[in-house]
Amino acid sequence: MRLQDKIAIVTGAGSGFGAGIARKFASEGAHVIVADIDTEAATAIATEIDGTAQTVDVSQSDSVRDMVTATMAAHGRIDILVNNAGVTHLPAALDSIGEDEFDRVFAVNCKSVYLTARHALPFMRTNPGANILNVASTAGVSPRPRLNWYNASKGWMITATRAMAVELAPDGLRVNAINPVAGETPLLKSFMGEDTPEIRAKFLSTIPLGRFSTPEDMGNAACFLCSDEASMITGVCMEVDGGRCI
């Protein structure tokens, strides 16, 4: 029970990697605020793990503030904040992506990290030992072609993680990230453009261990980095990628 009695917010926890992280945290003793823009999905996961469902649009300041306010009112503290919510654009030439799509990717993948920090840090600073985990991507380390602005948003997230870690260390707060490779989540089809055996084989050929990331893989890595076992680890962007970035 490595997270016994911890209060953890996980954004985008209604499906995919976020759901895997939420399940793992709950199994290790945490009470998880399952935050997602999809209320029905959040409720389903929260019911499954005996957590708390919270509807949130991570790109909107008022919505993020309401999530933090509700968590503090119910539990009085935030021990773990996982910025997992993310979106991508479909594979296309970088100069063909529309401005609205670009803005959407950076609002959900980047601005959300700023907003959760802005609203949660005033409370987390008074809770030494609390920590933040950002779910970035191997795309920010080894970009795939035709996913340019998604790649760039995850590179931003990696830099933000390191910068946050340096600034928040004097407050006793740790900030880390995990970099998954493409996984069996609702975003997989968007990354590939279309889900065919040929395109899956092409993606898998870039992963030495020969399989996609799973929500369970992400949950296990996240649990370690957010636990006291990782108390000397901050500013790390851990690749959970089957060797893709070697």
Side-chain angles (χ1 to χ4, degrees):
M1 305 300 281
R2 289 179 288 173
L3 304 179
Q4 186 66 48
D5 299 325
K6 300 290 188 182
I7 304 301
I9 296 174
V10 182
T11 68
S15 64
F17 291 155
I21 293 170
R23 290 184 176 110
K24 179 64 175 180
F25 280 16
S27 75
E28 293 284 349
H31 182 85
V32 182
I33 288 77
V34 181
D36 203 285
I37 197 168
D38 184 334
T39 302
E40 185 175 347
T43 300
I45 297 296
T47 300
E48 175 189 332
I49 66 172
D50 197 23
T52 301
Q54 176 70 44
T55 304
V56 64
D57 180 344
V58 295
S59 70
Q60 298 298 316
S61 183
D62 288 350
S63 185
V64 173
R65 181 199 60 212
D66 290 346
M67 174 184 71
V68 171
T69 299
T71 301
M72 291 301 299
H75 303 286
R77 69 182 196 279
I78 300 169
D79 298 307
I80 300 168
L81 169 63
V82 180
N83 289 305
N84 167 76
V87 296
T88 186
H89 56 79
L90 293 174
L94 64 91
D95 55 339
S96 70
I97 302 298
E99 187 173 351
D100 288 347
E101 193 70 359
F102 174 91
D103 288 343
R104 174 174 173 265
V105 168
F106 274 78
V108 176
N109 294 1
C110 302
K111 187 179 180 181
S112 61
V113 178
Y114 157 75
L115 290 176
T116 56
R118 183 176 182 186
H119 292 294
L121 276 177
F123 303 107
M124 297 183 77
R125 285 180 190 274
T126 64
N127 184 14
N131 66 87
I132 297 171
L133 182 72
N134 297 323
V135 179
S137 173
T138 55
V141 179
S142 180
R144 292 186 187 272
R146 296 173 59 82
L147 288 169
N148 193 83
W149 306 117
Y150 173 78
N151 298 333
S153 74
K154 291 302 186 178
W156 181 99
M157 202 173 199
I158 289 168
T159 300
T161 296
R162 292 170 174 156
M164 293 167 71
V166 170
E167 182 166 339
L168 295 175
D171 295 316
L173 304 182
R174 299 184 300 110
V175 186
N176 292 296
I178 51 177
N179 294 340
V181 74
E184 294 284 1
T185 75
L187 281 182
L188 181 60
K189 184 176 180 179
S190 296
F191 289 134
M192 297 191 298
E194 57 179 325
D195 191 350
T196 67
E198 293 76 19
I199 293 177
R200 278 185 172 242
K202 182 179 178 180
F203 265 67
L204 285 172
S205 70
T206 68
I207 305 171
L209 284 183
R211 68 173 178 84
F212 292 118
S213 294
T214 67
E216 291 75 21
D217 293 326
M218 296 306 109
N220 290 334
C223 182
F224 167 67
L225 288 174
C226 292
S227 75
D228 292 341
E229 294 175 3
S231 62
M232 191 58 175
I233 300 176
T234 195
V236 163
C237 300
M238 179 188 290
E239 288 150 13
V240 190
D241 67 347
R244 177 177 175 251
C245 289
I246 296 173

